[in-house]
Amino acid sequence: MITYSVKRLLSGAALLAVLSVITFFALRLGTQGVAQQIAGQSAGPEAVALIEERYGLDRPLAQQFLSWAASALTGDLGRSWFTGQPVTEAVLSRLAVTVNLAVGSVALTGALGVLLGALAATRRGWPDRLVQVLSVLGQAVPGFVLAVGLVLLFAVQLRWFPATGYTDPSDSVGGWIRSLTLPVLALAVGSVGGVAQQVRGSMLDVLRRDHVRTLRSRGLPRRRVLYRYVLRNAAGPALSVLGLQFVIILSAAVVVEQVFSIPGLGPVALTSTARGDAPLVMGVVLVTGALVVLVNLLVDLLQAFLNPKVRLS
Amino acid sequence: MKPSPLHALAVTLAALLPLTACSNGSGSDSEQPEELVVGMPVDLTTWAAADAAWGNEALYHQAVYDTLLRTDAQGGVEPGLATEWSYDESMTRLTLELREGVTFSDGTAFDAEVAVQNLLRFRDGASENAANLSSVVEAEAVDADTVELTLDAPDPALLTYLSHNAGLQASPETFDAEDAQVRPVGSGPYVLDEEATVVSSRYVFTAREDYWDPEVQLYPKITMQYYPDATAMLNAVKGGQVNVTNLHSSSQAADAESAGYDVHLSPVNWKGLILADRGGEVEEAVGDVRVRQAINHALDREALLDAMDHGYGEPTAQIFGPDSEAYAEALDDAYPYDPDRARELLEEAGYPDGITLVQPQTSFTPASEFELIAGMLAESGIDVEAEHVGSTFIGDLLGGAWPTFRFALNQEPLPWMTYRLAIAPDSAWNVYDVEDPTVEKLAERMRLGGEDGAAASRELNEYLVEQAWFAPFYRLQGIVVTDGSTDATHKVGYAMPNLWDIVPVS
């Protein structure tokens, strides 16, 4: 398992290196007039030249990239060209907020998905139909539409939750729950149906297998068979879907954070890309890329833990 | 009875609500709110005073920095860190007497030497307004409390500039600090609470003790929440999360009003076309005054105002606002909508089949608005082709890539500021550096100020309208909304009030 993990981490590092090169050149070649933007729309040529010199924008692109890469390898991702904030500080402080949001959404998606999927597989009837409807709705309704609807109902009309903003749990646990409830719902609702479908399908598949029939014929209680043997065997595919959902939710969070004005990675990613703030964009790409690599590795290791027959190679 | 899953969900929500049912804290029921929450439509560019921007960012700076002078809501110059000021007879030597006993929040003392360094650093820095101090050739600390500025020529806007970013005073300890962009050290009424601040999202300020002007410290705590998204801003207003804000768009005003906010209107920008290539350098047709006048006659300004900004503005053909000495009411209607007259002028100019202009379609102009303007101009024989550009087109635009383009520029309170912004040969928005002897003669008179300077500014306005340097659509109203606990006095020519003009309603 250790060899496997090391290999996966090394391939992840290589992936991040390729991602860095592509992102840097795509961004710098696709964004003109960054120095003018930094200096301001009415800035004269002297101010713009000063900015170019200050940030090395007057050097060839390859030289700029090598300079960035050399610093990045020492752990220094530089400072944002626009705000002057150290990139590591900007990204990590906001990563915590986005991870809060993503983990909350994945946990809610997992809990509701497994519950509904198991109900649909074992009871059929209305839970089964609910899962089908949720699955279709989840794919049909964009997250930001749902987010706006939730805000209008629960924040503007009922005033149960704040319409925007984020409260750190260290300031107020109640405030933290309130600030995350609507965004988490907006992100999770679209995914619950998909996970429930996956759990339902896997459970139905396992329920039809010979060993389950044997266990039942030996007189084991139905509940024990379901939760100890069927659900555990069906958990593998569901876990894969949840891992994928984490990545999807991470992308969807970009828009949802914007709608709820949550200071996560989403607004930073959008603003820095639109401005052409290369150091910050590179930081966001590196950190989110590393996060995705780690989550995928974690899902694989969990798969092996839940089902020893899964080979890690 | 067995509980259903929906019942279980309802019970869970009901159990969560008590946990969560606390105030969202944008105000309080007491007479003097403990906190002011300001919704900001723009982020702060930098805290470094030498590179600072102004306009929509002014509130951030007014919280932590003092300026040498201040301007009130009507644009009148008032004492700031300088208590007295006077020019010599030639209007090229300005003497400023400084306030004594002022310290920065890091304990460093403010004196004339520090003021001189701040002024020179701004003049030579990377702010978009660095040119506002370009007339200053020398700055000298005469003694600990006196600064003398020597100008290469009279500058009637200098005192106002010293009440903006050009007059910001930062502690000398920050001059070469690596974190100067994110850690401000000023002598202003508030200090930035770095623990509670999230850069590019939320900026929190707490009142300084022993500040020299406690009358401007109207709240113990101020939070400036940046909303990059117009929908999020409106939701925050509807949810009662901000006390005061400048709305992203006029289309949101009705929603804010129905949410119980007071709406304050004041003309801020003029929106329209900048007919930049007046010399016909790139597009020969634009160099002909008759073509430029034809463009002006081709615009149905009332219709554009209703369609693009819901009537929140006033149609005009001049770039000077009603608060400016150069303003003349009659010029608002100098070019009535008249497609026939526009065609006649094009024919007289030698373009009987009309002309074709290429204009950038930018993030400032939604496609629907671009099509509306293009359709209107086409009725008079002026075809417009769209060139799609990204959000970083400003550099190309200022470099003269397009002979005409749509933009919105500030209606400055002083005519000289408008001249420096968009008319002078070296100004940013005279993108082809067009120099007109008549304009320059009038500018020389404006420099000296007084009654003749005011008369010259009115003559300049008339001349620019007659020569059709621009094709304004309308003066756009800036929209500031305040909740029931807050009042605000609009500042002439600016989108947001002075920080100290946002007051609690007792």
Side-chain angles (χ1 to χ4, degrees), chain B residues 135-151:
Chain B
S135 62
V136 176
V137 289
E138 200 181 334
E140 190 190 349
V142 177
D143 58 44
D145 307 315
T146 310
V147 169
E148 199 167 84
L149 302 182
T150 307
L151 315 182

Side-chain angles (χ1 to χ4, degrees), chain B residues 207-373:
Chain B
R208 274 185 77 191
E209 285 178 16
D210 302 326
Y211 179 61
W212 62 268
D213 186 8
E215 284 187 10
V216 302
Q217 293 175 305
L218 296 162
Y219 299 87
K221 179 183 174 187
I222 294 179
T223 297
M224 296 189 193
Q225 180 74 44
Y226 166 49
Y227 292 97
D229 184 77
T231 308
M233 165 83 88
L234 185 60
N235 287 337
V237 168
K238 286 178 175 175
Q241 291 188 289
V242 296
N243 300 116
V244 57
T245 189
N246 167 23
L247 293 177
H248 275 270
S249 159
S250 56
S251 64
Q252 301 178 324
D255 280 325
E257 206 162 9
S258 57
Y261 281 72
D262 293 322
V263 174
H264 309 258
L265 301 173
S266 176
V268 176
N269 293 331
W270 65 268
K271 255 189 188 181
L273 298 173
I274 295 182
L275 309 180
D277 192 10
R278 294 135 200 158
E281 194 180 312
V282 173
E283 178 59 62
E284 195 184 344
V286 182
D288 192 312
V289 65
R290 289 164 296 187
V291 171
R292 299 198 300 271
Q293 289 172 337
I295 293 171
N296 268 279
H297 275 300
L299 298 169
D300 182 349
R301 294 176 165 83
E302 287 276 1
L304 289 174
L305 175 61
D306 287 342
M308 301 198 304
D309 277 296
H310 309 85
Y312 284 99
E314 296 156 350
T316 187
Q318 60 189 317
I319 64 168
F320 293 91
D323 297 307
S324 167
E325 282 181 331
Y327 176 76
E329 194 178 347
L331 294 178
D332 279 344
D333 197 30
Y335 291 102
Y337 175 50
D338 190 345
D340 293 336
R341 178 65 186 139
R343 283 185 181 279
E344 274 174 31
L345 283 164
L346 287 180
E347 200 168 334
E348 283 172 25
Y351 301 99
D353 300 326
I355 57 169
T356 300
L357 301 171
V358 178
Q359 291 184 353
Q361 187 181 340
T362 69
S363 52
F364 287 98
T365 314
S368 58
E369 290 187 8
F370 193 95
E371 290 304 322
L372 175 71
I373 299 162

